[in-house]
Amino acid sequence: MFTHCTFCHRPFDDNESLEHLRAGREVAFDPDRGRLWHICRSCRRWSLAPIEERWEALEELERLTRDRARLLAETDNVALLRAEDLKIVRVGRTNLDEEAWWRFGREFKRRRSIHKAWGMAGMGGFGVLLTTGTAGAVGGGLGIYWTWRLAKRAPELGRFLKFGKTAWKGRALCTSCGAELDRVPFDEIQRLTIGVSSEGEAVVTRRCRICRSREPGAGFLWTGAEGDHLLRRSLAYRNFAGASDSELKFATNAIEGAGSTAALTRTLASHSLSIGRMGVPNALALEIAINEETERRLLEMELAELEARWRVEEEIAAIVDNELTPLAGFAAFRRSIRRGMDGLD
């Protein structure tokens, strides 16, 4: 079995998902042609697995992608999937639905755990000071009260350490009076309003304190990549405490009800809600939608590179399998693999 990259000789990391293909955390396979590659995480080259190593591994990979894999993105020729500790490139259409938002559910649960840990650390520190008498040494009961208040705000310290004070820095001009804005502090993100442009894209707006114009399109506007950046940071700051299972369920149901994350973004933006007035479940759903849309664009670029690499590697694999491999009955081997995979349906 291949354990090292054939190009840079770096060892493949072992995975825990495949019984018949332990080496490699990134693999590519073509069930129709019977190809199987290890993808090196260092040099990104594809090492074609020897034919004798593909028999059970190809069937196992097809079963894994159909039963437990999550589809991240796909083109007409290749699909990118995640299954447990494996990143999989499958040649051909998968007929699976994309559910990219599932990854953010795990992120919100992680945030909730961190937020609770900060709270426990704060109250634990208060308990130590109370036990040693330090909390009441200055000001008696008043000192204990203020020490308790500071301990309760420990999660806010965690949020400050992660994000700092400023959501955005740059230069923005009021579209009405021309006043200039160079930053948006986090303690003012509740003033930001989410709208939608005529092209259907999310727009972040803030009312100008100078002219105070309420005309449509007046004030400071952030669109495109800059608007996405401000919105993502603001929502991540707002949702620092994470989410409960019920809140996550509401958020994912909202995405499924809208039909896609992009549709949900447009729906929420059409109500021109401010981040401060947006309910927790909607804020969670919007952060998932904005992040998923950003990841989708990145995945599309990655897929384009993967498809180009696959075309090159397929030409090499065709030569190796059809001309250079002296293995009798290879055509029968490919037919048996295809029959075995069809039997998985």
Side-chain angles (χ1 to χ4, degrees), residues 13-31:
D13 295 328
D14 289 341
N15 67 78
E16 301 295 331
S17 303
L18 297 172
E19 179 182 354
H20 299 97
L21 189 70
R22 287 295 186 187
R25 294 287 185 89
E26 295 187 32
V27 297
F29 76 106
D30 183 343

Side-chain angles (χ1 to χ4, degrees), residues 22 25 35 49 62 111-112 126 130-131 210 218 263 265 322 324 326:
R22 287 295 186 187
R25 294 287 185 89
R35 316 273 198 242
E62 185 73 347
R111 290 185 196 175
R112 188 173 179 84
F126 172 71
L130 190 64
T131 301
I210 305 300
T265 302
N322 298 334
L324 301 182

Side-chain angles (χ1 to χ4, degrees), residues 168 170-174 177-183 206 208 210 220:
W168 170 86
R171 184 172 182 267
L173 300 177
C174 174
C177 70
E180 186 173 330
L181 185 70
D182 65 353
R183 69 187 60 212
R206 177 181 153 174
C208 179
I210 305 300
F220 302 100

Side-chain angles (χ1 to χ4, degrees), residues 2-68:
F2 269 15
T3 58
H4 290 69
C5 174
T6 56
F7 299 94
C8 70
H9 307 296
R10 182 185 177 118
F12 296 124
D13 295 328
D14 289 341
N15 67 78
E16 301 295 331
S17 303
L18 297 172
E19 179 182 354
H20 299 97
L21 189 70
R22 287 295 186 187
R25 294 287 185 89
E26 295 187 32
V27 297
F29 76 106
D30 183 343
D32 287 329
R33 295 183 176 89
R35 316 273 198 242
L36 176 62
W37 295 270
H38 300 267
I39 302 177
C40 179
R41 302 172 77 178
S42 177
C43 69
R44 308 307 302 166
R45 296 293 300 272
W46 293 24
S47 299
L48 183 66
I51 289 175
E52 59 271 16
E53 293 184 10
R54 303 180 203 170
W55 295 77
E56 295 87 356
L58 282 168
E59 292 187 13
E60 192 177 9
L61 270 169
E62 185 73 347
R63 186 179 297 107
L64 179 66
T65 56
R66 295 191 183 189
D67 295 345
R68 304 200 304 275

Side-chain angles (χ1 to χ4, degrees), residues 195-203 223:
V196 61
S197 69
S198 57
E199 291 79 18
E201 296 181 345
V203 178
T223 60

